[in-house]
Amino acid sequence: METALTRLVGVRHPVVQTGMGWVAGPRLVSATANAGALGVLASATMTLDHLRDAVREVKSRTDAPFGVNLRADAGDAGERVRIIVEEGVRVASFALAPSRELIAELKEAGVVVVPSVGARRHAEKVAAWGADAVIVQGGEGGGHTGEVATTVLLPQVVDAVDIPVVAAGGFHDGRGLVAALAYGAAGIAMGTRFLLTSDSTVPDTVKAAYLAAAVGDVTVTRAVDGLPHRMLRTEFVGSLERAGRARALVRAVRRAAVFRRVSGLSWPGMVRDGLAMRHGRDLTWSQVLLAANTPMLLKAAMVDGRTDLGVMASGQVAGVIEDLPSCAELVEGLMSQAGAVLQELRELQEFQELQGPRGRQGLSAHTVRTHSGTRSADDRDAERP
């Protein structure tokens, strides 16, 4: 399937695997790329040397295009950009809007720039600065999230910018891809769905927790870092919400020190990142410290398998996912389902055209339900013995 996204980045399918910290490593990214979608390497939890090694490992596993996700507000963002350019990475994605200068540097080197945004005004800003495309995440998405649903936010952004828009938040199958295309998007981005694949390195016990979750078990909390964060509700998350600020702060400082050693950041570097995080947000210093603690809480679950000591960022779709396909099986199945749905829509259109104006107006409720895959209460009653 060819769209503005596939033409822009050179992949076969209009599907993006998002850059999830501790999750989107070389194995998952290369498997996604080999499946014909755009894999995105998460770099925020890597040292500079680790990032370069990870990029080279992906390149050793696949010849397909892939991307690297960066924190635009990181103190060493410029150094990470240089690695991307030097290693010939095709796409740079950003969790926050990159500066005009950073976009220009990447574009001059031939790198496709795709920031992620959660509001129309942010999309308009990065488009004006030269971004090549934008990922728009609605409130259904995992991790840091907003309050506006994808179905409301997506058409706003599509109407506001002239660059390809990729829809994120609430997608997991081919029906969602077709819906996003109908809104005017050029593709979809998925995080939780790719996390729950056999190619993901997340421990099996953690995957089992995701698969066992119902939609109501995916919650939004501010207890982790003071910002709205969508994740699985667990007893540990409940304990964070019940803990007093002083106690949480002490824990945060300890874990921030651990993250400093893991990430290779210096204390001055972490302070710079903290200042960048405060810019444009109403964050206290205690919230900044809690934010520095977040990567270690994610690592505890996603790497160490300690669901009792870590948090599990999650989109709401975790409540409807029931299997662990490979990336190749996931993408193939998604595209096959999308093709079937599009064929059904074409048949519906042909039926309406054959019937003429009268047939279009009098299309029976049964026909509509047949093509939409839904049943009325009367249908369900008729099926009861």
Side-chain angles (χ1 to χ4, degrees):
M1 180 185 292
E2 183 177 304
T3 70
L5 173 66
T6 62
R7 291 191 295 270
L8 177 66
V9 300
V11 294
R12 299 196 308 274
H13 307 303
V15 178
V16 178
Q17 163 254 303
T18 60
M20 301 163 281
W22 306 115
V23 176
R27 191 171 91 179
L28 180 62
V29 172
S30 58
T32 300
N34 285 327
L38 181 68
V40 178
L41 194 67
S43 78
T45 53
M46 299 178 182
T47 64
L48 295 175
D49 288 341
H50 185 192
L51 171 58
R52 192 180 293 274
D53 290 342
V55 168
R56 291 178 176 177
E57 183 177 347
V58 174
K59 291 168 67 177
S60 73
R61 291 169 174 256
T62 183
D63 294 326
F66 67 95
V68 170
N69 181 258
L70 307 167
R71 268 187 54 195
D73 59 351
D76 60 356
E79 296 172 80
R80 293 174 185 269
V81 164
R82 280 191 286 277
I83 291 175
I84 288 176
V85 173
E86 291 169 0
E87 296 296 331
V89 175
R90 176 62 177 159
V91 177
S93 73
F94 290 88
L96 296 171
S99 67
R100 187 193 303 266
E101 293 74 21
L102 213 53
I103 293 176
E105 181 180 351
L106 285 161
K107 287 175 67 69
E108 185 177 355
V111 180
V112 176
V113 181
V114 186
S116 295
V117 300
R120 181 180 64 184
R121 66 182 185 277
H122 298 152
E124 292 172 331
K125 179 174 68 175
V126 295
W129 287 355
D132 296 292
V134 65
I135 296 175
V136 178
Q137 178 175 307
E140 301 94 322
H144 290 121
T145 192
E147 298 178 351
V148 182
T150 303
T151 51
V152 176
L153 179 61
L154 177 59
Q156 284 186 320
V157 175
V158 168
D159 291 343
V161 300
D162 294 325
I163 57 177
V165 175
V166 180
F171 297 99
H172 70 287
D173 63 8
R175 294 173 299 177
L177 172 58
V178 174
L181 296 175
Y183 274 111
I188 58 172
M190 305 185 297
T192 305
R193 177 64 276 194
F194 276 102
L195 183 155
L196 292 173
T197 61
S198 60
D199 293 304
S200 163
T201 58
V202 171
D204 290 342
T205 53
V206 177
K207 291 179 182 178
Y210 278 94
L211 293 177
V215 173
D217 296 324
V218 185
T219 188
V220 175
T221 181
R222 292 178 178 267
V224 174
D225 57 11
L227 298 171
H229 204 141
R230 188 175 291 284
M231 60 185 62
L232 295 189
R233 174 164 291 285
T234 63
E235 177 56 35
F236 179 70
V237 172
S239 71
L240 290 177
E241 293 176 334
R242 293 189 298 269
R245 175 166 293 187
R247 183 179 176 186
L249 200 54
V250 169
R251 290 179 177 177
V253 171
R254 290 174 180 168
R255 291 196 179 96
V258 175
F259 179 60
R260 182 187 69 83
R261 293 194 296 272
V262 171
S263 66
L265 290 173
S266 63
W267 281 112
M270 292 184 69
V271 170
R272 285 195 301 270
D273 285 356
L275 287 170
M277 290 184 64
R278 292 188 71 191
H279 180 67
R281 304 179 188 176
D282 186 21
L283 295 183
T284 65
W285 276 111
S286 62
Q287 288 174 324
V288 169
L289 284 171
L290 287 169
N293 170 41
T294 303
M296 297 315 298
L297 291 179
L298 290 167
K299 179 179 180 293
M302 300 303 172
V303 178
D304 303 331
R306 296 297 303 270
T307 58
D308 57 328
L309 295 175
V311 299
M312 293 172 281
S314 176
Q316 285 185 308
V317 296
V320 297
I321 295 174
E322 299 177 341
D323 58 352
L324 295 171
S326 67
C327 287
E329 292 167 339
L330 170 61
V331 174
E332 180 182 358
L334 185 150
M335 295 308 301
S336 176
Q337 185 184 35
V341 172
L342 287 171
Q343 180 60 33
E344 289 180 2
L345 293 175
R346 282 190 290 268
E347 292 174 359
L348 178 59
Q349 182 181 15
E350 291 170 0
F351 174 83
Q352 291 175 317
E353 290 173 351
L354 286 172
Q355 296 300 307
R358 182 178 178 182
R360 287 193 292 271
Q361 294 173 2
L363 193 63
S364 71
H366 172 74
T367 302
V368 173
R369 289 195 299 274
T370 298
H371 284 279
S372 66
T374 60
R375 297 175 298 159
S376 69
D378 290 340
D379 291 334
R380 292 192 294 271
D381 289 341
E383 293 170 1
R384 293 171 182 161

